[in-house]
């Protein structure tokens, strides 16, 4: 499998770089990058989402609640992208706390990305008892 992940501009490039390093041990993962390594920081979603879709195999990690609207979810589905939206509790957490928590979710995110496309999932902050992600419905 050649999973590719792009961390949205609302997440730290350092988190993306860290996950890229950790993922070098997982043969399923081809790339983990931050949006700013591929596009200008102010590039509209309507530009970079289709660009990734033409390459295929991309999943998006975002803290942006833009995935809530029906039009934006349709844009994601139309382009065959899988999106993982970090729940609002992630915002404002100290970097190290958030990073440590994200690392615990990473195997679950990889498993879901491996099995699906054209879908959006909410990643809760609390891991207690949570083994799966909640799919965001249109």
């Amino acid at each position: 499998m050649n999973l590719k992940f792009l961390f949205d501009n609302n997440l730290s490039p350092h988190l993306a770089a860290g996950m890229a390093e950790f993922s070098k041990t997982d043969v399923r993962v081809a790339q983990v990058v931050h949006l700013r390594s591929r596009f200008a920081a102010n590039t509209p979603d309507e530009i970079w989402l289709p660009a990734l879709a033409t390459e295929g195999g991309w999943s998006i990690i975002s803290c942006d609640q833009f995935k809530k609207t029906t039009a934006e979810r349709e844009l994601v589905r139309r382009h065959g992208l899988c999106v993982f939206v970090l729940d609002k509790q992630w915002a404002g957490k100290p970097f190290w706390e958030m990073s440590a928590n994200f690392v615990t979710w990473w195997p679950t995110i990889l498993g879901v990305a491996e099995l699906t496309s054209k879908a959006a999932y909410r990643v809760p902050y609390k891991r207690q008892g949570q083994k799966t992600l909640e799919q965001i419905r249109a």
Side-chain angles (χ1 to χ4, degrees):
M1 191 98 205
N2 289 316
L3 298 173
K4 297 182 276 186
F5 294 89
L6 182 129
F7 280 65
D8 201 351
N9 206 29
N10 51 39
L11 292 166
S12 170
H14 302 295
L15 179 61
M19 296 316 300
E21 286 299 315
F22 289 140
S23 297
K24 286 181 178 179
T25 62
D26 193 318
V27 297
R28 298 171 294 175
V29 181
Q31 283 186 68
V32 179
V33 298
H34 193 271
L35 183 131
R36 287 181 241 160
S37 71
R38 301 277 320 263
F39 305 95
N42 62 349
T43 304
D45 299 336
E46 295 79 11
I47 302 295
W48 64 264
L49 286 169
L52 293 180
T54 61
E55 294 176 24
W58 284 97
S59 291
I60 312 302
I61 309 291
S62 181
C63 214
D64 189 352
Q65 299 305 308
F66 78 92
K67 311 305 183 286
K68 283 186 174 180
T69 70
T70 302
E72 286 161 331
R73 280 184 283 186
E74 178 56 34
L75 181 67
V76 168
R77 274 193 299 275
R78 185 174 351 121
H79 294 293
L81 298 167
C82 191
V83 178
F84 297 91
V85 180
L86 305 184
D87 211 2
K88 61 184 175 183
Q89 287 84 9
W90 290 85
K93 296 291 185 191
F95 176 77
W96 288 113
E97 180 184 329
M98 186 193 75
S99 298
N101 197 37
F102 189 82
V103 167
T104 67
W105 277 108
W106 192 239
T108 302
I109 291 169
L110 292 178
V112 170
E114 191 173 30
L115 297 174
T116 191
S117 65
K118 299 183 183 186
Y121 294 89
R122 183 171 285 103
V123 181
Y125 188 76
K126 300 234 184 219
R127 182 75 184 181
Q128 296 174 337
Q130 287 285 85
K131 294 189 172 115
T132 61
L133 305 174
E134 174 191 350
Q135 188 167 2
I136 300 171
R137 306 269 180 219

